[in-house]
Amino acid sequence: MKKIIPCGFHCIKIKNLGVTFGEQVVLENINLHIHCGQMTAVIGRNGAGKSTLVRAILDEVPHTGVIEFKNKTNNNIEGLKIGYVPQTVNIDRSTPLSVYDMFQSFTGTLPILFSSKKEHAHVKEALAEFDVAELIDQPVGTLSGGQLQRVLLAMAVHDTPNLLLLDEPVSGIDKNGMDAFYEKMKYLKETHDLAIIVVSHDLDYVYKYADNAILIDKTVTAAGSPKQVYETEAFSSVFGKGAV
């Protein structure tokens, strides 16, 4: 993948986003403003609406409000491209599907029954950016959690999205895997023209790596740098004093 140095001007604006299921208000008045080259962490208690926010941005649930992508001259660009890595992926451990097959089924132009040296090399190059090129022909069902996560990340960013959405993507990963994941996020935001939103419970990593933190409980209760958010009463009421 060709590296693109972030310009810092492109941005995603989420204005007054809300989600209601029947009479239940799940999210209301969510406002985010994220520039390329930045990572914003969404934190909060269980049930606060974090995953619903991701689903709303993906347009998987009905919502109110506006999601805009602006270029550096402040004009709308249609067709916001989103890369997405979910919390969990249910994969049949007995499936013969290879990493190459899965990659092609989501991102390729050729049917997965067809292969070419050019496409194989293209997929391998994308996987290499996440240090998993050697897995290209391995059955997906045999991958560890960390390996699968890196394959999914390669799939999510291969087509240079404007926004990368990560919904607790390191759930169940050990500390070494966590360190590697957040270092890779740092690399991505510094070398690709994209913005990152990550839903996370990993407060230490958010404090160390995120540019911005958004604490939500149906609405935004605190926003700013991780340091600023962690010093608020809203944060203490959710996580307790001295949580980090």
Side-chain angles (χ1 to χ4, degrees), residues 79-97:
L80 172 64
K81 291 166 66 175
I82 299 177
Y84 172 53
V85 178
Q87 249 183 78
T88 58
V89 177
N90 294 320
I91 292 177
D92 182 355
R93 289 293 177 180
S94 65
T95 181
L97 195 72

Side-chain angles (χ1 to χ4, degrees), residues 124-144:
K124 192 169 186 178
E125 180 184 5
L127 293 170
E129 188 168 9
F130 292 85
D131 306 315
V132 285
E134 74 281 1
L135 302 178
I136 188 167
D137 296 315
Q138 188 165 320
V140 174
T142 66
L143 301 183
S144 69

Side-chain angles (χ1 to χ4, degrees), residues 152-211:
L152 293 174
L153 281 167
M155 291 167 55
V157 304
H158 92 288
D159 198 25
T160 58
N162 312 117
L163 173 63
L164 180 60
L165 277 178
L166 308 167
D167 188 6
E168 297 188 45
V170 287
S171 178
I173 304 298
D174 63 20
K175 185 181 184 303
N176 288 338
M178 296 272 287
D179 291 340
F181 168 80
Y182 278 98
E183 282 296 323
K184 183 60 70 174
M185 291 305 98
K186 179 181 178 182
Y187 162 78
L188 282 178
K189 75 186 184 72
E190 291 174 350
T191 58
H192 292 67
D193 203 14
L194 56 76
I196 301 171
I197 296 178
V198 56
V199 176
S200 179
H201 288 289
D202 310 308
L203 299 179
D204 289 334
Y205 286 94
V206 168
Y207 192 89
K208 181 177 179 180
Y209 287 97
D211 300 286

